[in-house]
């Protein structure tokens, strides 16, 4: 029985590794394709052609055309720029804030820790999507604002992770020695402790980007994200939602691209979790 | 038990104050007065709204006085009046929509439990088998699917092509003519797609959580004892492991409430269901600030309440918590 479950475990790990490797490759291709869109795309993203309205997918238009005769494939390629970039930067902001708050909280402990963690609890009480929409109601929906809003409302899980790591690192000898020989707090925190606390952060970053992409596309879908005519996956999808019976392709293809990129980020996260967490090898 | 509940209630007070503080900061986000920002950047603003805004926020007074005044009003459940033409009280507008959203959330939670508990046990017990990996992969796909896109696909299949499920609202046109049983069936039909869309994203997460709980429980000594004693594996899993693995799920369900309420914006606006999410979306689109503020505060209070209920359930189920 023991041997059997060991073999299964090896098989499983190998499978996960392959899946996450393939996901990583797909992600890189997606990112390249959307940022090299001007070179790859067969048409201009805003080229309106009244003679080719709502054409189904064909060799000439692989994803068909929309209600203004624009090539959906081209628009999906360009749209990827917004969603992929927003997801990446928004999670970057969330991680920066999370690291600062989590490390201060875990390192200093006591009152500071108590105060900061209550703050995290309070932030987590808000339904995130409500909080995001409330802020969106007050500011212009530019790409930078949306990144900032998603970052400002998404840092709490990172802060908790970093804090937990710091709490256990704080007791380790190298930290005690550094304190004894008088290394200043900032160097201990950022130069010596942080690198040791990064593994779970890296894993959560992959899942976080996936979540941020879903949030950004949801905002665009509701018409509160980056505004048309700039294409984003969410707003292309919205433009087709009232024509599902006549032209399913306008909504279908951007949706598939969102799904694939979110899925790939999640699977990469899963692979990283396996690779970076030595505990499961015990 | 009573002491425990009292302690938990007491602990909620600073969090509630924090919620109102952050909500208040959100209103006063921008430098200068909030009305300046809204009027300068927003073409949808009309002069009447600007006047109403200024009056509503009492901008002539210093910020801490305004906050305390607002806090006092909230304590009396006075969130002001909506900017929309009907000008109704915010608390009434939100109050009538809470039951609808909570019903959908409750049904979603039930659906999530019904699917993910058996699935989680399956993942834990059959870990590494081909069928487990395939099902896990599929659950990952549902975890990653954008809910609005999934909703549109379901609408196209079940509403447009097959025509067997209604795709908007809560009632059919002939609702008032139906028998009691017919009314019930009609409601169920209208809720089917929204509930599926609302729960689908959470199933994968809960199943995996359930699976790791089950793994932990199976490593406990009493499970080894049950096996040594010679109990059949089936009985060990069902009688000894399941109950203990279910405990932490209560807390997680409490924690999922903000996600479900937040998700109601998408679900309710797609299926035109008159719940909190739809009202919130409309208010954001028409910049109905009193409703937005009221919704932000009330929805987070609901979350807090949900967590409290979950904690109390946990304490009832597990006496060790009460004694700590």
């Amino acid at each position: 029985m023991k041997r059997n479950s060991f073999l299964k475990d090896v098989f499983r790990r190998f499978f996960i590794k392959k899946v996450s490797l393939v996901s990583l490759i797909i992600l890189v291709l997606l990112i390249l394709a959307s940022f090299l869109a001007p070179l790859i795309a067969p048409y201009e993203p805003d080229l309106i052609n009244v003679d080719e309205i709502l054409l189904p997918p064909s060799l000439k238009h692989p994803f068909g055309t929309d209600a203004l005769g624009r090539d959906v494939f081209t628009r999906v390629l360009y749209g990827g720029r917004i969603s992929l970039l927003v997801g990446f930067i928004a999670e970057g902001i969330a991680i920066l804030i999370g690291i600062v708050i989590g490390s201060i909280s875990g390192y200093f402990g006591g009152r500071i820790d108590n105060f900061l963690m209550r703050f995290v609890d309070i932030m987590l009480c808000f339904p995130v999507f409500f909080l995001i929409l409330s802020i969106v109601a007050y500011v212009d929906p530019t790409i930078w604002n949306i990144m900032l809003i998603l970052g400002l409302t998404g840092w709490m899980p990172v802060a908790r992770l970093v804090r937990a790591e710091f709490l256990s690192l704080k007791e380790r000898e190298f930290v005690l020695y550094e304190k004894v020989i008088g290394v200043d707090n900032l160097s201990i925190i950022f130069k010596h402790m942080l690198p040791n606390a990064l593994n779970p952060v890296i894993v959560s970053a992959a899942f976080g980007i996936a979540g941020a992409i879903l949030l950004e596309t949801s905002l665009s879908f509701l018409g509160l994200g980056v505004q048309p005519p700039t294409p984003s996956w969410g707003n292309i999808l919205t433009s087709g939602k009232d024509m599902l019976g006549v032209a399913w392709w306008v909504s279908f293809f951007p949706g598939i691209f969102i799904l694939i990129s979110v899925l790939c980020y999640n699977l990469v996260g899963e692979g990283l979790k396996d690779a970076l967490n030595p505990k499961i090898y015990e | 038990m009573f002491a425990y509940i009292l302690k938990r209630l007491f602990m909620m007070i600073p969090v509630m104050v924090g919620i109102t503080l952050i909500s208040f900061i959100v209103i006063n986000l921008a430098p200068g007065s909030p009305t300046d920002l809204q009027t300068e950047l927003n073409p949808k603003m009309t002069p009447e709204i600007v006047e109403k805004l200024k009056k509503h926020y009492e901008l002539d007074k210093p910020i801490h006085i305004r906050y305390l005044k607002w806090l006092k009003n909230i304590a009396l459940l006075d969130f002001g009046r909506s900017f929309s033409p009907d000008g109704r009280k915010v608390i009434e507008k939100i109050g009538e929509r809470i039951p609808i959203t909570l019903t959908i959330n409750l049904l979603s939670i039930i659906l999530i439990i019904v699917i993910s508990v058996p699935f989680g046990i399956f993942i834990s017990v059959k870990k590494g088998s081909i069928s487990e990996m395939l099902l896990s992969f599929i659950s990952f796909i549902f975890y990653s699917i954008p809910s609005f896109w999934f909703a549109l696909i379901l609408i196209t299949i079940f509403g447009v092509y097959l025509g067997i499920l209604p795709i908007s609202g809560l009632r059919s046109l002939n609702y008032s003519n139906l028998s009691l049983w017919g009314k019930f069936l009609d409601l169920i039909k209208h809720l089917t797609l929204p509930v599926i869309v609302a729960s689908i994203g959470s199933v994968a997460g809960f199943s995996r959580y359930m699976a790791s709980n089950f793994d932990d429980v199976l490593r406990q000594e009493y499970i080894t004892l049950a096996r040594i004693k010679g109990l059949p594996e089936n009985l060990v899993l069902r009688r000894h492991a399941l109950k203990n693995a279910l405990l932490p799920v209560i807390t997680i369900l409490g924690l999922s409430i903000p996600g479900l309420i937040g998700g109601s914006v998408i679900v309710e606006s797609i299926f035109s269901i008159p719940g909190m999410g739809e009202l919130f979306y409309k208010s954001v689109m028409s910049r109905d600030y009193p409703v937005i503020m009221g919704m932000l505060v009330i929805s987070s209070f609901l979350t807090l309440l949900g967590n409290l209920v979950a904690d109390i359930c946990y304490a009832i189920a597990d006496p060790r918590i009460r004694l700590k």
Side-chain angles (χ1 to χ4, degrees):
Chain A
M1 165 149 180
K2 188 105 194 182
R3 189 178 162 74
N4 190 15
S5 64
F6 173 74
L7 280 180
K8 269 186 183 169
D9 213 36
V10 170
F11 181 53
R12 184 188 162 80
R13 213 169 287 147
F14 183 71
F15 179 76
I16 290 179
K17 231 181 225 167
K18 270 216 160 152
V19 170
S20 32
L21 197 65
V22 172
S23 306
L24 188 65
I25 294 170
I26 295 176
L27 266 183
V28 171
L29 288 179
L30 266 177
I31 292 167
L32 279 180
S34 56
F35 285 91
L36 299 177
L39 304 174
I40 302 168
Y43 302 90
E44 288 294 312
D46 301 326
L47 182 72
I48 295 171
N49 187 344
V50 280
D51 296 328
E52 298 189 330
I53 284 171
L54 296 179
L55 293 179
S58 63
L59 279 181
K60 202 172 159 213
H61 299 284
F63 292 175
T65 61
D66 68 2
L68 296 172
R70 295 174 295 191
D71 183 51
V72 175
F73 177 65
T74 305
R75 289 183 67 74
V76 167
L77 280 184
Y78 276 88
R81 292 175 162 192
I82 305 279
S83 301
L84 295 170
L85 192 70
V86 168
F88 195 81
I89 307 247
E91 183 59 19
I93 296 172
I95 285 180
L96 277 183
I97 302 175
I99 282 180
V100 170
I101 292 193
S103 54
I104 290 177
S105 196
Y107 182 78
F108 291 106
R111 276 206 183 152
I112 298 177
D113 179 41
N114 210 343
F115 175 78
L116 289 175
M117 285 303 112
R118 285 303 78 73
F119 181 47
V120 169
D121 289 345
I122 291 164
M123 286 295 287
L124 285 172
C125 272
F126 290 98
V128 171
F129 207 58
F130 274 25
L131 197 57
I132 293 171
L133 286 181
S134 318
I135 306 176
V136 168
Y138 292 88
V139 297
D140 262 0
T142 61
I143 181 168
W144 303 107
N145 279 340
I146 287 170
M147 289 171 185
L148 200 63
I149 293 169
L150 292 182
L152 285 174
T153 52
W155 53 269
M156 293 80 80
V158 183
R160 281 192 168 169
L161 275 177
V162 174
R163 172 182 175 267
E165 289 294 309
F166 267 65
L167 280 183
S168 67
L169 282 173
K170 200 166 68 169
E171 307 299 327
R172 295 265 294 276
E173 282 172 345
F174 73 92
V175 179
L176 293 178
Y177 291 152
E178 274 169 5
K179 276 187 187 165
V180 169
I181 59 171
V183 181
D184 65 305
N185 285 334
L186 277 181
S187 311
I188 299 183
I189 293 180
F190 292 107
K191 271 197 198 144
H192 303 277
M193 287 172 82
L194 193 57
N196 289 297
L198 278 183
N199 278 1
V201 175
I202 293 168
V203 174
S204 84
F207 294 120
I209 295 175
I213 292 177
L214 279 181
L215 284 173
E216 185 277 326
T217 51
S218 303
L219 280 179
S220 305
F221 174 79
L222 292 173
L224 293 162
V226 178
Q227 299 297 307
T230 309
S232 80
W233 286 340
N235 70 32
I236 304 172
L237 207 153
T238 308
S239 71
K241 79 170 176 191
D242 295 324
M243 318 180 284
L244 289 173
V246 223
W248 53 269
W249 49 89
V250 183
S251 289
F252 180 78
F253 288 108
I256 274 284
F257 272 70
I258 300 170
L259 172 59
I260 292 176
S261 52
V262 173
L263 181 64
C264 286
Y265 269 115
N266 280 330
L267 290 171
V268 167
E270 205 51 29
L272 285 172
K273 197 158 96 184
D274 227 29
L276 294 177
N277 186 359
K279 275 179 204 146
I280 42 180
Y281 291 98
E282 277 168 11
Chain B
M1 191 66 209
F2 184 70
Y4 174 79
I5 295 177
L6 216 62
K7 202 178 105 193
R8 286 290 285 103
L9 277 174
F10 192 69
M11 275 162 60
M12 267 169 66
I13 295 171
V15 179
M16 278 166 86
V17 173
I19 287 170
T20 59
L21 197 61
I22 291 177
S23 303
F24 193 75
I25 292 171
V26 170
I27 331 176
N28 294 282
L29 259 185
S33 84
T35 52
D36 282 351
L37 179 82
Q38 289 151 20
T39 44
E40 277 166 20
L41 293 179
N42 189 350
K44 288 177 190 149
M45 256 327 138
T46 61
E48 300 103 78
I49 299 184
V50 176
E51 275 315 297
K52 277 188 182 173
L53 266 175
K54 287 213 164 121
K55 220 176 128 205
H56 178 76
Y57 291 130
E58 300 184 75
L59 292 170
D60 44 335
K61 302 199 171 86
I63 192 155
H64 59 278
I65 305 259
R66 276 190 282 138
Y67 171 67
L68 289 176
K69 194 156 182 191
W70 184 70
L71 203 60
K72 204 180 100 200
N73 287 341
I74 283 181
L76 301 169
L77 286 181
D78 178 10
F79 290 90
R81 286 179 181 275
S82 161
F83 286 172
S84 68
D86 62 16
R88 292 174 58 205
K89 279 189 178 159
V90 170
I91 186 75
E92 282 174 15
K93 273 189 114 162
I94 298 176
E96 67 191 20
R97 282 162 181 263
I98 291 177
I100 298 174
T101 301
L102 286 192
T103 309
I104 295 180
N105 288 352
L106 204 67
L107 291 172
S108 312
I109 287 181
I110 295 173
L111 186 67
I112 293 169
I113 294 179
V114 166
I115 300 177
S116 44
V117 167
F119 185 44
I121 296 175
F122 175 82
I123 294 178
S124 165
V125 175
K126 300 270 176 192
K127 188 161 245 162
S129 70
I130 306 249
S131 54
E132 182 267 321
M133 279 192 283
L134 198 69
L135 278 175
S136 290
F137 188 74
I138 293 173
S139 82
F140 244 85
I141 293 180
F142 281 116
Y143 178 67
S144 310
I145 210 166
S147 59
F148 47 91
W149 186 67
F150 185 59
L152 294 181
I153 290 180
L154 290 183
I155 287 175
T156 316
I157 297 174
F158 292 100
V160 180
Y161 285 112
L162 297 176
I164 49 175
L165 284 174
I167 54 172
S168 84
L170 279 177
R171 289 165 185 180
S172 305
L173 286 174
N174 61 350
Y175 182 80
S176 52
N177 300 331
L178 293 170
S179 63
L180 197 65
W181 177 243
K183 279 182 181 168
F184 179 71
L185 270 187
D186 189 58
L187 204 61
I188 296 283
K189 272 190 180 173
H190 278 87
L191 285 176
T192 306
L193 292 183
V195 168
I196 292 178
V197 172
S199 4
I200 201 70
S202 311
V203 166
F206 277 113
S207 312
R208 294 163 69 79
Y209 184 72
M210 185 66 209
S212 79
N213 274 343
F214 211 68
D215 285 345
D216 287 346
V217 169
L218 286 184
R219 271 192 294 258
Q220 299 293 316
E221 285 176 350
Y222 56 83
I223 294 292
T224 318
L225 176 72
R227 283 181 175 149
I228 291 172
K229 191 163 88 166
L231 280 187
E233 185 67 14
N234 201 356
L235 219 60
V236 173
L237 297 184
R238 253 189 317 166
R239 194 180 291 166
H240 297 265
L242 180 60
K243 255 193 209 166
N244 290 297
L246 278 177
L247 273 180
V249 174
I250 302 173
T251 324
I252 288 290
L253 285 174
L255 290 178
S256 75
I257 293 172
L260 284 171
I261 294 182
S264 70
V265 175
I266 300 267
V267 175
E268 288 173 6
S269 57
I270 291 182
F271 291 102
S272 326
I273 292 171
M276 289 170 77
E278 200 237 1
L279 175 65
F280 192 66
Y281 177 56
K282 273 190 189 157
S283 314
V284 168
M285 292 309 269
S286 61
R287 308 296 195 265
D288 192 343
Y289 296 106
V291 178
I292 296 176
M293 289 315 307
M295 196 73 98
L296 202 55
V297 174
I298 290 176
S299 64
S300 42
F301 279 4
L302 283 179
T303 309
L304 205 57
L305 207 64
N307 288 343
L308 178 73
V309 171
D311 280 352
I312 293 176
C313 288
Y314 202 112
I316 292 172
D318 186 349
R320 282 172 299 179
I321 301 290
R322 268 175 278 165
L323 298 174
K324 254 181 210 169

